[in-house]
Amino acid sequence: MTTTLSRSLRPILAVCAIGLPISFAATTLGDLDDADRPDFAALRAEGARRSKVLAGGDAVAEAPARRGGIEAFRAEIEPILRTACLDCHGPEKEKGGVRIDELDADLVEGDDVDWWLDVQAVLANGEMPPAGDEERLSEEDRGRVVEWLSAEIQYASVANRAAREHSPFRRLTRYEYGFALQDLLGVARSFGDDLPPDPVSEDGFQNSSEVLHLSASLLEAYLDANRAALREAAALGPRPTPLHWSVSMDDAAAVEWKRQENQIEGVRKKHAESPETLEAEVTKLRERFAKRPGGVHYEDRESGRFARATWGYGGAKRAWKPTEEAPAPIADSTAVAILPSGGGLIVELGDRLPELGTMRVRVRAERASADDARPPSLRLMFGWQASNDSNAVFRATEDDVLVDAPPGAPRTYEWNIPVSRLYPRNLARGVNKMGDLPSPSEYIKLVNASLSGRTIHLHHVEVTAPVVEVWPPASYARLFPADEGDEEARARRSIEHFLARAWRRIPTEREVERKVALYRALRPECDSYEEATLEVLAVALTSPHFLYVTPAAEGDGLDDRSLATRLALFLWCSVPDDALLERAAAGDLRRVDVLEGQIDRMLADPRARRMSRVFVRQWLDLALMDNLSVDRKVHPGFDGRLKAAMEREPIAYFEELLRTDASVLDLVHSEYTMANERLAMHYGLGGVVGNHFRRVALDPTARRGGVLAQAGPMAMNSDGEHSHPLKRGIWMLENLLDDPPPPPPPAVPEIDLADPRILEMTLKERIEDHRNHPACMSCHAKIDPWGVAFENFDAIGAWRDEADGRPVDAVGVLWSGEELDGIDGLKGFLLEQRQDQIVRALTHKVTTFALGRPLGFGDRAAVDGIVRRTRESGDGLATMVRTIATSDLFLGR
């Protein structure tokens, strides 16, 4: 863990130690035989043997005794540093503006802690002295300096933490607000989507207390969102009557048969006075209709008749009419809709789809062939097209279905989707009449999402909305639990019950009475007591007791209520549930066995997937994927499905590590990844069918495994046409090692692509030429070797051995003299030499996310203690999460 200031200094020390440009070896990873590839298991074992944390020599205690302090420094450490460092960082030379002899050795009271953190880091990682000057510093002396610095830093960190308080006081993020309303109301909808986006802290997280403020306009937006959410959950009014759309492919095909007959009739009228021409034209049309068309089409299995499935927004007046009567059971048909790979069938619903409730879609379908062992995937889309330039189409649900029914034996497949998730809706619905423009119609689209060669036959489509199983819905009972007493008594019970869950504590009698008084004032203006109550609850959700995280103290730590909130925000990105609040109310949540039991329960809950999605997206900066633009001429294999899979892989991978408590070192390398069929095809992996992600074992030739070799990070750190080693190197240093380079200095020269000499250079030669400029060396010495190691991955993360007709040169040499032989060399070096740094970096990131505030020097000792316990327990990700959540740092105020 390093501070912001120390991050800006380390590259200066490294460059001053080098004094010369970094060189590159000429070997390419593609030239290596598989037998020559690293033994990652052996390297991992060797890295554990080298670990200073596991050896007890690096921050072994959270509250250590001071080991000699300044006296020990003067007697033992200063002479070593003078011998090893003073020639370059002393009165005669002051490389990088660093003078070791002028640094204040008092890390508790002095002002040079950040410099000493850098000295410790470059010494511990072997970055100083530079290659060729190793005789200046023996390994024994290096160990003595690092040991003294580690102990002194630990002592100073504990003293710093005792002297300073951090304020985790902040409001909920947009995503926390949305998840909290989902859990409070029992309605599966992203209620925070309409709120303004949250800012991002320097650490890359949105839940940081540094950036989460509240303005008057934002408070008003919260109130509007609260009202909409509560009204949806309450579902006031009479029981809605479901509407049913039942579309047999016999009926759908009949529309196309009729269109064909109309075309023939049009020819008859046109050529009525020329019998010979008439006969020829009619024959030509019938022959065309008898041929199987490409794309989505209908086939009558009895007559062998075909028709293309046509659609146009002007034809929305042909929308299928719903009925209030329950339709006959979904059945097979004589005609089927043929959906080839990538093809989609649109079913127009008109403008009567309701605003709320659940939409159920059932389809009767079968696969076209039993020969292919891979069943096709069927995807449900929702959309509308009001006019030429006003339209939308998007996935209605993340889940596709595998159509595994064999030919001739169709089965029924079903989706259930909250209508409120279908956003945006057609603004012309309910305004214009069907057939007018802009068209008010909306539709579902059934898409064969298989990659290639697999066809789906559809028999029948049935849509019901809203699906009403119980009325009032369960969400109504969450808001109005009392069904006896007069209106005010029931309103009081609703308010008390809701405040206890929303405010994460039992409200005082005075607080309840104030809300009941507001209810009394509002009731005359509302049609029912429920409406008045909802308005009171909407106001309650704008209270700091809900919108803000306000930790309360109990002794030296959090009280149980605040701990429950912190734990829920960490693991669920939401507020505590009833079980967690009950433990807090009982006052025993801080008991180790109770707390560990709650953590295990929460990690096993599906809501824990939110933490993976939110944390990984922010930690790895996956927002870069949102703006990824790939040159399809250069990379024709790139498409939207691949982009979505790239973005999903690191999240699914993290989820798998958390679920199985796998080692966090698997982030560097593993013998498996998480993939769906589209991503597996990109990686050249076989046997993966369907669009859902699952664990896939990797052959060593796959060159994958770990986050570093995933296509998404490679693609988002490219320019969409070419690889970008600088972006990739910076991304890895920032996110995997928590050691970003400094920003570039002013007046950095650009690479002149108009220079013929530059155009003839390879990518690495251009980098070297650019780096040799004095203003550029400090950054590039830190970045280049790491970024070039990724060069076997092209702009979309596909493996390559050649680029522009030349062998890929993906080998760099670090300032320490270590070679990084491409991605395998990079992985091997990290596993052997940097295990402690990797575990510490992730611990720092997860702890920052867990606390919702930036970490400072005073937190270092506590974080190092978490690292030690995680490493001693096998480096498991779930172990790390549990260790963080039970640490004094997490439990403290």
Side-chain angles (χ1 to χ4, degrees):
M1 180 179 67
T2 55
T3 64
T4 302
L5 179 58
S6 66
R7 287 170 175 167
S8 68
L9 303 177
R10 260 189 79 188
I12 297 175
L13 292 172
V15 173
C16 294
I18 298 164
L20 294 172
I22 295 171
S23 61
F24 293 95
T27 310
T28 70
L29 186 59
D31 295 332
L32 299 177
D33 295 331
D34 289 336
D36 297 326
R37 299 184 70 213
D39 183 340
F40 290 112
L43 289 171
R44 185 179 288 198
E46 175 62 17
R49 188 188 68 78
R50 289 170 176 253
S51 167
K52 293 181 176 62
V53 172
L54 292 175
D58 184 19
V60 295
E62 289 190 43
R66 197 168 192 180
R67 300 185 183 181
I70 298 177
E71 293 75 15
F73 174 82
R74 300 298 183 200
E76 303 175 21
I77 306 304
E78 188 175 29
I80 297 173
L81 294 178
R82 284 184 174 275
T83 300
C85 307
L86 224 59
D87 284 351
C88 294
H89 303 288
E92 295 185 5
K93 289 184 180 180
E94 196 173 326
K95 290 188 175 182
V98 182
R99 283 192 59 173
I100 294 294
D101 60 323
E102 291 188 346
L103 295 183
D104 188 343
D106 186 350
L107 274 69
V108 177
E109 302 291 341
D111 296 326
D112 293 329
V113 172
D114 291 314
W115 288 97
W116 286 116
L117 289 172
D118 288 315
V119 172
Q120 182 212 31
V122 296
L123 289 176
N125 289 332
E127 299 170 11
M128 286 182 62
D133 278 350
E134 293 88 354
E135 71 278 358
R136 288 179 177 271
L137 185 66
S138 68
E139 286 304 310
E140 180 181 356
D141 284 345
R142 182 193 299 272
R144 292 171 66 188
V145 176
V146 170
E147 183 179 357
W148 180 85
L149 277 172
S150 297
E152 197 70 9
I153 288 168
Q154 287 293 101
Y155 182 88
S157 174
V158 173
N160 182 282
R161 179 168 174 78
R164 298 185 182 183
E165 288 189 359
H166 300 279
S167 176
F169 179 78
R170 66 175 179 87
R171 66 168 172 83
L172 298 178
T173 64
R174 183 172 71 163
Y175 62 81
E176 289 168 338
Y177 167 86
F179 288 139
L181 288 190
Q182 282 187 35
D183 296 342
L184 285 172
L185 304 178
V187 178
R189 180 183 173 186
S190 299
F191 290 107
D193 286 351
D194 291 334
L195 295 174
D198 292 318
V200 178
S201 70
E202 289 187 5
D203 296 301
F205 295 110
Q206 295 174 340
N207 68 341
S208 175
S209 57
E210 284 193 325
V211 298
L212 289 172
H213 310 297
L214 187 63
S215 64
S217 60
L218 182 57
L219 187 64
E220 186 175 346
Y222 274 123
L223 184 58
D224 290 341
N226 296 341
R227 288 176 175 136
L230 289 163
R231 287 168 184 163
E232 180 170 344
L236 301 180
R239 180 182 185 122
T241 301
L243 296 177
H244 306 276
W245 291 260
S246 184
V247 183
S248 166
M249 293 305 105
D250 285 333
D251 295 334
V255 174
E256 301 300 338
W257 310 146
K258 180 64 175 176
R259 185 181 59 81
Q260 289 181 354
E261 293 301 327
N262 288 341
Q263 285 184 262
I264 293 173
E265 185 60 29
V267 169
R268 292 186 187 281
K269 291 181 179 179
K270 182 177 180 179
H271 301 288
E273 297 180 358
S274 177
E276 292 183 2
T277 302
L278 173 60
E279 184 178 355
E281 291 297 322
V282 169
T283 300
K284 186 188 301 183
L285 268 180
R286 292 195 182 281
E287 288 176 350
R288 192 179 82 190
F289 295 154
K291 294 179 181 179
R292 184 183 296 275
V296 180
H297 61 279
Y298 299 101
E299 176 184 359
D300 189 310
R301 290 178 167 179
E302 291 185 352
S303 66
R305 192 176 185 181
F306 302 104
R308 190 183 304 277
T310 61
W311 180 85
Y313 74 89
K317 57 188 176 183
R318 298 188 337 206
W320 300 97
K321 301 295 190 295
T323 176
E324 295 183 358
E325 297 180 4
I330 190 169
D332 303 343
S333 58
T334 300
V336 292
I338 312 294
L339 272 61
S341 177
L345 179 72
I346 288 178
V347 177
E348 289 278 356
L349 303 179
D351 62 349
R352 296 189 61 187
L353 193 68
E355 297 291 323
L356 302 174
T358 297
M359 177 178 72
R360 182 178 64 207
V361 178
R362 289 175 173 165
V363 296
R364 187 79 169 163
E366 65 191 51
R367 55 195 300 188
S369 172
D371 296 335
D372 195 331
R374 304 169 298 164
S377 295
L378 187 62
R379 176 171 300 167
L380 180 65
M381 311 283 287
F382 178 83
W384 48 270
Q385 182 154 357
S387 62
N388 282 334
D389 56 359
S390 178
N391 68 289
V393 60
F394 50 88
R395 293 182 68 161
T397 174
E398 292 183 2
D399 301 320
D400 300 338
V401 297
L402 285 177
V403 181
D404 51 3
R411 286 201 287 269
T412 300
Y413 301 90
E414 180 176 310
W415 292 275
N416 287 279
I417 309 103
V419 176
S420 57
R421 285 189 179 178
L422 304 178
Y423 179 83
R425 299 289 298 274
N426 188 345
L427 296 179
R429 72 189 189 282
V431 177
N432 291 350
K433 295 180 179 179
M434 292 299 298
D436 289 349
L437 289 179
S439 168
S441 185
E442 297 174 319
Y443 61 74
I444 59 169
K445 187 175 183 180
L446 298 158
V447 178
N448 182 346
S450 308
L451 293 179
S452 62
R454 283 165 280 169
T455 301
I456 296 174
H457 290 177
L458 288 182
H459 288 256
H460 203 112
V461 179
E462 180 187 280
V463 179
T464 300
V467 175
V468 181
E469 305 286 354
V470 179
W471 194 261
S475 54
Y476 176 91
R478 283 173 175 259
L479 295 172
F480 304 103
D483 56 4
E484 296 180 357
D486 60 23
E487 286 188 351
E488 184 170 313
R490 282 181 282 170
R492 177 184 292 272
R493 177 72 182 111
S494 294
I495 292 168
E496 289 177 334
H497 179 72
F498 187 80
L499 292 186
R501 293 185 298 124
W503 288 3
R504 286 93 71 182
R505 63 173 175 81
I506 303 299
T508 66
E509 182 60 33
R510 183 168 179 266
E511 289 169 333
V512 173
E513 190 55 46
R514 289 178 64 184
K515 292 295 182 287
V516 173
L518 177 59
Y519 164 81
R520 294 191 194 105
L522 292 171
R523 179 63 185 93
E525 302 177 17
C526 299
D527 292 337
S528 66
Y529 97 90
E530 289 102 333
E531 287 188 5
T533 303
L534 292 180
E535 187 64 23
V536 173
L537 301 186
V539 172
L541 288 176
T542 63
S543 165
H545 300 305
F546 172 70
L547 282 181
Y548 270 84
V549 182
T550 54
E554 184 176 289
D556 294 332
L558 295 176
D559 64 10
D560 282 42
R561 175 184 61 81
S562 298
L563 176 58
T565 297
R566 179 174 288 179
L567 194 62
L569 290 173
F570 176 29
L571 301 182
W572 288 348
C573 302
S574 182
V575 293
D577 64 352
D578 290 343
L580 195 55
L581 289 174
E582 286 173 6
R583 299 302 344 148
D588 61 1
L589 185 57
R590 294 174 60 91
R591 260 179 40 196
V592 175
D593 59 329
V594 174
L595 181 57
E596 290 181 342
Q598 287 299 310
I599 293 170
D600 290 342
R601 176 184 73 86
M602 295 174 74
L603 286 176
D605 192 283
R607 284 172 285 187
R609 298 182 64 189
R610 298 170 180 169
M611 190 264 279
S612 295
R613 294 199 302 270
V614 171
F615 170 75
V616 174
R617 180 172 172 82
Q618 296 178 31
W619 165 45
L620 296 182
D621 200 12
L622 295 182
L624 292 171
M625 292 292 294
D626 297 343
N627 299 318
L628 176 62
S629 178
V630 172
D631 190 329
R632 296 289 297 276
K633 294 179 181 178
V634 179
H635 303 284
F638 185 83
D639 56 26
R641 286 184 289 184
L642 178 57
K643 179 180 177 180
M646 286 178 173
E647 188 171 5
R648 176 62 185 156
E649 181 186 13
I651 297 172
Y653 191 79
F654 189 90
E655 287 177 347
E656 179 70 3
L657 297 188
L658 187 60
R659 184 186 67 83
T660 61
D661 197 22
S663 170
V664 299
L665 298 176
D666 282 6
L667 293 168
V668 177
H669 179 76
S670 65
E671 302 298 330
Y672 63 91
T673 192
M674 303 295 289
N676 65 358
E677 187 174 358
R678 180 65 187 90
L679 191 63
M681 185 177 76
H682 186 60
Y683 289 166
L685 307 175
V688 180
V689 180
N691 297 319
H692 63 285
F693 272 76
R694 82 298 309 266
R695 183 170 174 144
V696 179
L698 294 172
D699 184 273
T701 59
R703 313 284 189 182
R704 301 291 172 178
V707 171
L708 294 177
Q710 291 179 357
M714 294 299 97
M716 71 189 194
N717 287 296
S718 74
D719 64 6
E721 180 179 355
H722 305 290
S723 60
H724 204 304
L726 295 183
K727 285 184 179 180
R728 291 172 177 180
I730 292 170
W731 176 86
M732 194 209 74
L733 288 167
E734 288 182 339
N735 298 291
L736 271 297
L737 296 181
D738 192 28
D739 190 16
V748 173
E750 296 184 2
I751 297 176
D752 184 6
L753 295 180
D755 186 342
R757 181 182 63 88
I758 298 293
L759 290 174
E760 293 177 358
M761 293 180 179
T762 65
L763 174 64
K764 280 178 57 177
E765 288 169 344
R766 292 177 186 175
I767 291 174
E768 286 181 324
D769 182 77
H770 175 73
R771 183 187 61 241
N772 288 339
H773 192 285
C776 307
M777 186 178 294
S778 62
C779 290
H780 285 275
K782 173 93 172 184
I783 302 167
D784 291 353
W786 307 104
V788 171
F790 294 105
E791 272 301 281
N792 282 107
F793 299 109
D794 69 10
I796 60 171
W799 183 265
R800 61 183 179 179
D801 291 314
E802 292 186 352
D804 299 324
R806 303 182 186 184
V808 170
D809 186 357
V811 183
V813 180
L814 296 172
W815 47 83
S816 60
E818 295 275 358
E819 287 190 354
L820 300 181
D821 293 350
I823 188 64
D824 278 358
L826 172 60
K827 289 180 177 182
F829 175 80
L830 293 175
L831 289 175
E832 184 180 23
Q833 305 285 348
R834 297 293 183 90
Q835 284 191 17
D836 291 343
Q837 186 177 3
I838 292 163
V839 178
R840 180 177 284 108
L842 184 62
T843 302
H844 181 272
K845 297 287 188 178
V846 177
T847 305
T848 301
F849 179 80
L851 295 179
R853 65 167 176 83
L855 301 183
F857 177 67
D859 301 308
R860 185 183 180 98
V863 171
D864 285 348
I866 296 169
V867 172
R868 173 177 55 82
R869 291 193 295 275
T870 300
R871 296 236 62 192
E872 290 174 347
S873 300
D875 298 319
L877 179 56
T879 297
M880 176 187 288
V881 169
R882 293 187 187 96
T883 304
I884 291 170
T886 56
S887 68
D888 290 341
L889 188 57
F890 191 83
L891 299 175
R893 183 170 183 270

